[in-house]
Amino acid sequence: MILKPRDKSITHQIYDVLNYRWTLTGQHRRDYLNQISGHKGESVFDEYMAPYFKHDVVLNGLNLKNGNAEFQTDTVVVTAKRVLLYEVKNYSGAYHYRDGSFYSESGYRMRNPLGQADRADSLLYNLMLNRGYQLTTAFYVVFINPNFSIEKLPPNPALLFPNQLHSHFRSVATPHNDQKHQQLHLAQEILKLHNDDYRPHNLPDYRFDELKKGIFCPKCFSTRHTDTRKMRTCLKCGHIETITHSIQRSSKEFSLLFPDVPLTTNLIYEWIAHMYSKRRVRYALKAIYQSCLTGPRTYYI
Ligand SMILES: [Zn+2]
């Protein structure tokens, strides 16, 4: 069973919005493409995994912290015997292995994913030990892309390629659910450590006044639209939603980009480029947020 489904990472969600409200160039564009590629790789991995682990508990995309050390895990599976950690890499192209490192064809060395997985494994082990659980763990790095190859790689049972996944999952999944209750309990304890508000330190440095204002279609990102009294229809792709929903969706984009800025009617009115009246914005915000009065201003949380 899946106890925590997979979401896009915060960085990915932020880039999704910045992609139509800002101009992504250079390193930002490369980061965004990496996010997309990583998420795609994880989704392919999820499909491989789906028929197995029926009697185990799966936690996707955890953000964890042990002291000052923050770390992410792509997939954690609590089986009857062990806790399995998977780090999924969607690398493509030809690489070669030399002295413990991976090199691309153009000679660049990449961070050893085994080191990354080992670090996550140790940190999770220690975190749970602090809570009174002594885990038996195993970690794996999965190179999910069939177009990835690496020369001179010594055999290592912690490295998995797509053609090995089915037999691997068969060998590690729990065949019966005798201890389902304990597994679920342990998985819930691990899930308690997940930080939903985690924000990476290396987010792009965007400012409110640099971003494009308006309401963007969630399907095609166009701002061209036509309205009836309650509904908004995209003129480019035909997507239809209520006007209230389009305002709420835009205010959520704002909160994602500026989590520390209090939401006010005026701010969202500006954010949506005065597309609808302040009265309508207030109505939309009131429906999904709790309003707080401080001095002359109302803000929404
Ligand atoms: Zn559209």
Side-chain angles (χ1 to χ4, degrees):
M1 69 169 280
I2 296 175
L3 184 63
K4 183 182 178 295
R6 190 176 303 287
D7 298 319
K8 288 179 180 177
S9 71
I10 286 288
T11 307
H12 192 168
Q13 292 175 41
I14 287 174
Y15 270 124
D16 276 345
V17 177
L18 291 179
N19 191 38
Y20 51 83
R21 289 194 181 263
W22 210 30
T23 309
L24 291 179
T25 52
Q27 190 57 44
H28 292 146
R29 176 141 293 276
R30 284 192 290 279
D31 285 349
Y32 184 36
L33 294 176
N34 281 337
Q35 290 290 330
I36 294 172
S37 158
H39 184 68
K40 200 171 153 202
E42 288 158 12
S43 307
V44 173
F45 177 74
D46 292 347
E47 280 170 33
Y48 269 100
M49 237 179 75
Y52 306 95
F53 299 124
K54 291 254 184 326
H55 305 304
D56 299 304
V57 190
V58 178
L59 300 160
N60 291 310
L62 296 176
N63 300 318
L64 303 166
K65 194 176 177 183
N66 188 6
N68 288 326
E70 287 178 326
F71 64 107
Q72 284 78 45
T73 59
D74 289 336
T75 303
V76 170
V77 185
V78 179
T79 72
K81 285 186 189 157
R82 286 178 299 182
V83 173
L84 312 171
L85 282 89
Y86 293 94
E87 174 71 32
V88 181
K89 294 294 178 198
N90 195 9
Y91 298 144
S92 67
Y95 286 75
H96 67 269
Y97 179 89
R98 196 173 70 232
D99 304 329
S101 296
F102 295 64
Y103 293 87
S104 72
E105 258 183 330
S106 45
Y108 286 102
R109 195 167 87 173
M110 65 175 170
R111 225 166 105 186
N112 188 336
L114 275 170
Q116 211 180 327
D118 180 39
R119 175 176 177 268
D121 183 56
S122 310
L123 288 168
L124 179 65
Y125 179 89
N126 292 339
L127 260 182
M128 291 305 286
L129 191 64
N130 292 343
R131 300 174 76 90
Y133 295 89
Q134 195 167 12
L135 304 183
T136 307
T137 60
F139 65 85
Y140 301 93
V141 173
V142 182
F143 295 105
I144 196 70
N145 195 324
N147 298 319
F148 171 80
S149 64
I150 181 155
E151 263 181 62
K152 295 183 180 150
L153 180 71
N156 186 331
L159 297 176
L160 296 171
F161 292 85
N163 60 357
Q164 299 172 296
L165 284 176
H166 289 302
S167 65
H168 165 78
F169 290 141
R170 264 197 300 273
S171 71
V172 294
T174 307
H176 312 288
N177 59 352
D178 310 340
Q179 302 172 50
K180 190 71 181 282
H181 181 72
Q182 285 109 300
Q183 282 172 247
L184 186 60
H185 172 77
L186 179 57
Q188 281 162 340
E189 288 298 304
I190 295 174
L191 184 57
K192 279 183 196 164
L193 302 169
H194 169 67
N195 176 11
D196 226 0
D197 299 326
Y198 166 75
R199 289 177 78 86
H201 304 297
N202 56 353
L203 289 171
D205 197 10
Y206 47 83
R207 292 204 323 261
F208 182 81
D209 54 6
E210 298 167 342
L211 301 178
K212 287 179 202 145
K213 312 297 185 295
I215 295 181
F216 294 79
C217 170
K219 293 274 188 296
C220 73
F221 316 119
S222 170
T223 52
R224 289 169 50 234
H225 67 284
T226 177
D227 290 341
T228 57
R229 200 167 61 84
K230 281 196 169 167
M231 306 305 285
R232 173 186 170 97
T233 304
C234 173
L235 281 174
K236 195 173 165 198
C237 78
H239 177 76
I240 300 176
E241 64 185 325
T242 64
I243 290 170
T244 303
H245 183 259
S246 74
I247 297 170
Q248 290 167 340
R249 196 168 50 71
S250 302
S251 72
K252 284 177 189 166
E253 285 175 4
F254 179 87
S255 300
L256 174 70
L257 297 184
F258 304 100
D260 301 326
V261 179
L263 277 189
T264 64
T265 301
N266 282 340
L267 202 50
I268 297 304
Y269 179 63
E270 202 178 324
W271 183 238
I272 63 168
H274 309 173
M275 192 83 72
Y276 301 109
S277 69
K278 285 187 187 179
R279 201 175 63 88
R280 208 152 191 175
V281 171
R282 191 174 299 116
Y283 170 81
L285 295 182
K286 265 192 168 167
I288 53 165
Y289 299 105
Q290 212 179 335
S291 59
C292 298
L293 267 174
T294 52
R297 277 174 39 167
T298 305
Y299 67 93
Y300 298 89
I301 51 172

